[in-house]
Amino acid sequence: MIAAAVLAALAMICAVAAWRLTFARWTWRAPRTAILLWQSLGLTWGLASIGALLAFALDPYRKGVVHGLAEFLLSVEFGVRQPYDYLRLAALVAGLSLLAVLVALPLAAGAQTLRARRRHRLLLALVARDEPAVPGVRVVDFPGAAAYCLPGLKSQVVISDGTLHLLSSAELEAVLAHEAAHVRERHDLVLLPFAALRRALPWSKLVRDAQASVELLVEMAADDRALQRCCPRRLATALLRFGTSAALPTPQGALGVSAPSSVMARVDRLVRPEVALPAAHRFLILAGSVVLATSAPLLWLLPG
């Protein structure tokens, strides 16, 4: 029962920490570090929740989750009588079901995203064109403002004619640098598990707030990368132009330059930058994230 209690407590700690993190503002000073912390909390919460249920169910074996589950499967195969009551059997079914859901949902979401990107690439092959003024970028003939990327092995950055007319050359360079950062750092893979969890728990305000926080941090991380190639004020004015124009919604499976809900927070951060989080603090957060992420798998091996 010790392992089950510790894992349940760890899952609760992760939930509380995630709730607190949705209100934190230090994350804006180190978005990439905060993203890693969010990933660590999400992974640990899932493994700890599953492990708590399985540890309780497999406690009669006194061998921990991994070895207890192996012995349970062997006993089922050889027809050995199980030392189970209905409560432990229900916990076993719940734990295995939660494991299946948390594995299947990201896979299903990933497959759906890949199909959407494939369809969109086929559409772009028909309607988009190359523009000498912006080499390597696909341009669609549409008067509205649009700028997004399709990540993947065949990544593409797409803008509209409306964007070319809306932005100055310096602002356009900032927007393209932002999209290139999304492609290079594969921010779509960061967002995928949070989007999948949102589909699994659409009623959860915590999950909804967590997804929104990670989406904002991903945009801020791309902004920081873009600032290596452009002026902060130019990126800020480009975001404001997108925010005040009739910008097109980002297609499914793509990452856009300007999410309406995050524009003002990003602009404020660009025009009034705060001091970056000290390196020592970032190191401590990263070290804590690694310890947290490895704690649940190690507890799965803890004997009952």
Side-chain angles (χ1 to χ4, degrees), residues 59-80:
D59 184 62
Y61 291 104
R62 303 292 179 183
K63 292 187 176 181
V65 173
V66 175
H67 295 100
L69 186 59
E71 187 160 331
F72 168 77
L73 294 175
L74 287 174
S75 61
V76 169
E77 182 180 355
F78 291 106
V80 180

Side-chain angles (χ1 to χ4, degrees), residues 220-235:
M220 289 180 173
D223 288 344
D224 289 347
R225 286 299 189 191
L227 294 183
Q228 297 176 2
R229 297 170 52 186
C230 68
C231 167
R233 192 166 296 277
R234 292 292 174 263
L235 181 55

Side-chain angles (χ1 to χ4, degrees), residues 197-198 200-210:
L197 189 61
R198 172 76 181 276
L201 303 172
W203 44 266
S204 172
K205 183 178 184 301
L206 176 58
V207 172
R208 185 169 60 251
D209 291 345

Side-chain angles (χ1 to χ4, degrees), residues 22-244:
T22 59
F23 299 102
R25 286 296 172 265
W26 67 261
T27 56
W28 295 11
R29 298 165 59 195
R32 297 171 70 195
T33 302
I35 288 170
L36 289 173
L37 179 58
W38 268 115
Q39 292 175 311
S40 175
L41 286 172
L43 177 64
T44 306
W45 173 83
L47 291 176
S49 299
I50 296 166
L53 291 167
L54 295 181
F56 173 75
L58 300 168
D59 184 62
Y61 291 104
R62 303 292 179 183
K63 292 187 176 181
V65 173
V66 175
H67 295 100
L69 186 59
E71 187 160 331
F72 168 77
L73 294 175
L74 287 174
S75 61
V76 169
E77 182 180 355
F78 291 106
V80 180
R81 184 176 178 275
Q82 305 300 311
Y84 273 93
D85 54 39
Y86 290 113
L87 184 59
R88 295 190 189 279
L89 186 60
L92 179 64
V93 172
L96 293 177
S97 299
L98 182 58
L99 175 62
V101 167
L102 294 182
V103 170
L105 276 176
L107 293 177
Q112 184 179 11
T113 299
L114 289 175
R115 287 195 298 269
R117 287 176 187 164
R118 189 179 301 114
R119 290 195 299 268
H120 198 74
R121 286 193 181 95
L122 292 174
L123 180 62
L124 288 175
L126 297 175
V127 302
R129 71 179 192 275
D130 294 325
E131 184 69 36
V134 280
V137 177
R138 303 289 285 168
V139 180
V140 293
D141 186 12
F142 190 81
Y148 58 89
C149 67
L150 284 174
L153 297 178
K154 299 179 180 179
S155 60
Q156 290 180 310
V157 176
V158 183
I159 61 174
S160 66
D161 273 329
T163 299
L164 290 175
H165 294 114
L166 178 69
L167 304 180
S168 68
S169 59
E171 290 167 346
L172 181 60
E173 182 183 359
V175 167
L176 295 179
H178 175 95
E179 293 305 321
H182 278 320
V183 170
R184 185 169 55 252
E185 299 194 359
R186 293 308 305 267
H187 288 153
D188 56 308
L189 299 180
V190 174
L191 296 172
L192 182 63
F194 293 93
L197 189 61
R198 172 76 181 276
R199 293 180 185 178
L201 303 172
W203 44 266
S204 172
K205 183 178 184 301
L206 176 58
V207 172
R208 185 169 60 251
D209 291 345
Q211 183 187 17
S213 296
V214 175
E215 287 176 347
L216 177 57
L217 291 171
V218 160
E219 294 301 328
M220 289 180 173
D223 288 344
D224 289 347
R225 286 299 189 191
L227 294 183
Q228 297 176 2
R229 297 170 52 186
C230 68
C231 167
R233 192 166 296 277
R234 292 292 174 263
L235 181 55
T237 55
L239 291 175
L240 286 174
R241 290 183 191 277
F242 267 94
T244 56

